Amino acid sequence: MLNLKGRVAAVFGLANKRSIAWGIAQKLHEAGAQLAIGYQNERMKAEAADLIEDLPGAEPFQCDVANDAEIGETFAHLKERYGKLDALVHCIAFAPAEDLKNDFLMTTREGFRIAHDVSVYSLIALSRAAAPLMTEGGSIITLTYYGAEKVVPHYKVMGVAKASLEATVRYLAWDLGKQNIRVNAISAGPIKTLAARGIGSLGDMLKYHEDRSPLHRNTEQTEVGKTAVYLASDLASGVTGEVIYVDSGYNIMGF
Ligand code: NAD
Ligand code: 0WE
């Protein structure tokens, strides 16, 4: 396992033990990183705090990324508590249920705005706040999905938001490269998390991935975590602006 001792990482997007953020936090912790782990609101506090207790030394924080004041307070706290930041992990997406239910054609102005604000603009806002703390260079990691590049029925406005997220990764990589801060996305295969619960056909989708992907199995949160450890480490020192697939190879198939 890679050694991240002495590195400080902030992971945003913990809801429960199925969260990809949790798979990533566990692997960063195993590698020796000092962790701050963020949850969205009071409602998620108890469950998040309970999980985080299992990772000695890791600390919880609350941050709604739709709120600039909360982002400011979060990074003031991280600066005070750790003095620097080496890795920022963004595991956050949201679109209003209505806009995922109706035809894409019916996407509302407000639904489009919220999906892009929470799922994309938040990466820009968090990166801007994190960069001054990344005094020794750094690694920024976000999570994306194949629905950004090909039509995945039902993914709708989230697919458009993920396309924007992937472009955002490239533009941030250009801006932050001069500070030796790398910015990359991990494109994960479908995983049964809270964010995937709304999909009626998730079971079929997981089965299809198992049948069709080169590895003939589904993706696990901790496999995403292992790639995050690599991206946070010096082994990835030359890698920025990329989308790396952790999807059992599903995306390479043409038929
Ligand atoms: P999850 O529900 O466990 O995580 C999503 C998180 O986003 C939750 O913790 C939620 O609280 C947080 N969030 C939403 N709005 C927020 C806000 N305003 N402020 C702060 N936090 C907010 O589900 P997940 O599947 O682990 O999702 C994490 C990321 O992985 C998302 O970007 C998702 O698009 C991506 N992803 C998921 C899959 C999958 O199949 N599960 C596949 C590829 C990519
Ligand atoms: O990014 C996602 C899901 C993100 C998401 C989920 C919800 C459900 C509840 C964003 N907003 C909301 N809003 C809600 O009210 N994934 C990659 C998981 C996912 O979602 C799909 C998928 C996959 C995979 C939707 C349709 C098809 C496939």
Side-chain angles (χ1 to χ4, degrees):
M1 188 47 116
L2 285 168
N3 189 354
L4 296 178
K5 276 213 164 51
R7 306 285 180 94
V8 180
V11 179
F12 288 73
L14 179 64
N16 57 38
K17 68 174 193 307
R18 288 188 160 168
S19 292
I20 293 174
W22 184 238
I24 293 175
Q26 286 175 296
K27 288 296 165 187
L28 288 171
H29 184 263
E30 259 179 58
Q34 197 171 7
L35 283 179
I37 307 175
Y39 57 90
Q40 183 180 355
N41 54 35
E42 208 65 40
R43 211 159 30 83
M44 299 187 165
K45 184 177 188 159
E47 188 156 1
D50 226 44
L51 279 173
I52 292 166
E53 267 183 31
D54 287 352
L55 304 181
E59 292 176 11
F61 65 86
Q62 183 171 315
C63 183
D64 183 332
V65 300
N67 184 320
D68 285 325
E70 285 190 34
I71 293 174
E73 285 161 26
T74 294
F75 282 88
H77 163 73
L78 292 174
K79 183 181 172 151
E80 153 108 8
R81 177 65 186 83
Y82 304 101
K84 65 148 185 179
L85 198 59
D86 300 287
L88 168 73
V89 186
H90 173 274
C91 306
I92 290 174
F94 180 77
E98 280 293 296
D99 293 274
L100 293 177
K101 198 170 74 210
N102 301 331
D103 275 1
F104 176 69
L105 185 66
M106 302 311 289
T107 302
T108 61
R109 194 180 290 275
E110 185 64 356
F112 184 95
R113 187 195 67 72
I114 290 171
H116 286 75
D117 184 30
V118 174
S119 315
V120 189
Y121 182 79
S122 63
L123 180 67
I124 303 174
L126 296 185
S127 297
R128 184 162 65 238
L133 297 188
M134 293 182 157
T135 46
E136 298 163 11
S139 175
I140 296 173
I141 300 162
T142 188
L143 266 295
T144 187
Y145 176 61
Y146 190 56
E149 45 189 305
K150 300 288 180 189
V151 173
V152 174
H154 310 301
Y155 201 54
K156 301 173 189 172
V157 71
M158 273 309 307
V160 178
K162 290 300 192 189
S164 167
L165 181 72
E166 292 179 10
T168 295
V169 161
R170 292 186 281 272
Y171 280 91
L172 287 174
W174 168 246
D175 272 5
L176 293 171
K178 49 187 173 301
Q179 292 164 244
N180 196 29
I181 298 170
R182 298 177 291 102
V183 188
N184 294 285
I186 299 173
S187 186
I191 304 178
K192 194 172 171 183
T193 64
L194 189 62
R197 79 188 185 285
I199 321 164
S201 53
L202 184 70
D204 294 346
M205 194 170 194
L206 292 174
K207 179 80 172 61
Y208 192 82
H209 268 250
E210 225 174 79
D211 290 346
R212 293 307 188 112
S213 64
L215 294 178
H216 293 298
R217 54 184 174 76
N218 285 125
T219 305
E220 288 174 9
Q221 289 87 333
T222 48
E223 293 186 288
V224 178
K226 287 189 283 182
T227 290
V229 169
Y230 153 73
L231 284 172
S233 81
D234 293 338
L235 287 190
S237 63
V239 180
T240 194
E242 291 295 336
V243 176
I244 299 185
Y245 295 86
V246 179
D247 66 348
S248 302
Y250 181 85
N251 77 93
I252 69 167
M253 302 304 295
F255 181 65

